[in-house]
Amino acid sequence: VLGPFEGQDDLAARQVRVVHTQRLQDDPPRLFRAVRYEQRFGFQLAPETLEQVPAGLAAIPALSGERARHELELIVAEPQAPAMLTRLASLGALAALHPALSWGEFQAQQAEVIPALPLDEWRLAGQIERLSVYLTLLLSDAAPGEARAALLRLDAGRRLAEAVLAALALRLAAGPA
């Protein structure tokens, strides 16, 4: 195998590295992909990649809502989604998408039950069910207006936005856990 960018060395070191400077700034979804690979394979972001994170975060607001939502859909489809969201939050990527998106210990604890949810039996369309559950958690600390704004930012669509807002309203009505 020929690897002009020292990929074999990165695999041996168990690290994810972007190969050119300004890659995260030029293509913000790369940060989301890097975190997916990092968490999926138990790797670490290379130091030079971590140095690029601030510039990449500054570019995230320019990311289209559809593309940002797609990156979240890819993340929530992964078994390691909670760890990925924890890492993205620690890097500031979730807040860069929208300040109302947050992920902490509470959300990670709540996410532990997601694999056991009977999503297929609920007969919702496609990935909307996983994404709606995770977005509800991501927006669980947000005021209703901020949650709506975040869903608009993510170009969530009517059905997804209604599902998330209804779940958040139920949570508010139930009171503190």
Side-chain angles (χ1 to χ4, degrees):
V1 176
L2 297 176
F5 299 110
E6 302 170 3
Q8 294 292 333
D9 294 340
D10 288 337
L11 287 172
R14 301 185 58 80
Q15 68 179 8
V16 176
R17 179 176 54 95
V18 294
V19 294
H20 296 295
T21 59
Q22 296 189 336
R23 280 294 196 198
L24 297 181
Q25 182 179 359
D26 294 341
D27 187 15
R30 282 185 192 273
L31 177 58
F32 294 87
R33 284 193 299 272
V35 167
R36 279 200 331 265
Y37 296 141
E38 175 193 51
Q39 296 301 311
R40 182 188 298 161
F41 299 117
F43 285 19
Q44 293 294 316
L45 294 180
E48 58 269 27
T49 299
L50 285 170
E51 290 173 9
Q52 292 185 41
V53 168
L57 294 176
I60 287 176
L63 192 61
S64 76
E66 180 180 2
R67 186 68 187 267
R69 188 188 69 253
H70 178 69
E71 291 301 323
L72 289 176
E73 288 170 347
L74 292 172
I75 287 166
V76 304
E78 297 270 353
Q80 302 86 0
M84 292 174 185
L85 293 168
T86 297
R87 180 65 160 151
L88 287 169
S90 74
L91 293 171
L94 295 177
L97 273 178
H98 193 279
L101 296 170
S102 66
W103 190 267
E105 191 174 320
F106 169 79
Q107 288 83 0
Q109 263 184 338
Q110 297 295 305
E112 290 175 9
V113 302
I114 293 173
L117 294 176
L119 298 177
D120 290 336
E121 294 171 25
W122 291 349
R123 301 186 194 283
L124 296 173
Q127 280 295 99
I128 192 172
E129 63 273 350
R130 285 188 80 78
L131 188 57
S132 66
V133 171
Y134 275 100
L135 281 174
T136 300
L137 287 174
L138 284 161
L139 294 168
S140 62
D141 293 335
E146 283 298 303
R148 281 186 188 81
L151 292 166
L152 281 172
R153 163 65 181 105
L154 295 172
D155 196 19
R158 186 180 58 82
R159 184 174 175 165
L160 177 58
E162 285 176 356
V164 172
L165 292 172
L168 290 170
L170 283 172
R171 184 177 179 279
L172 282 174

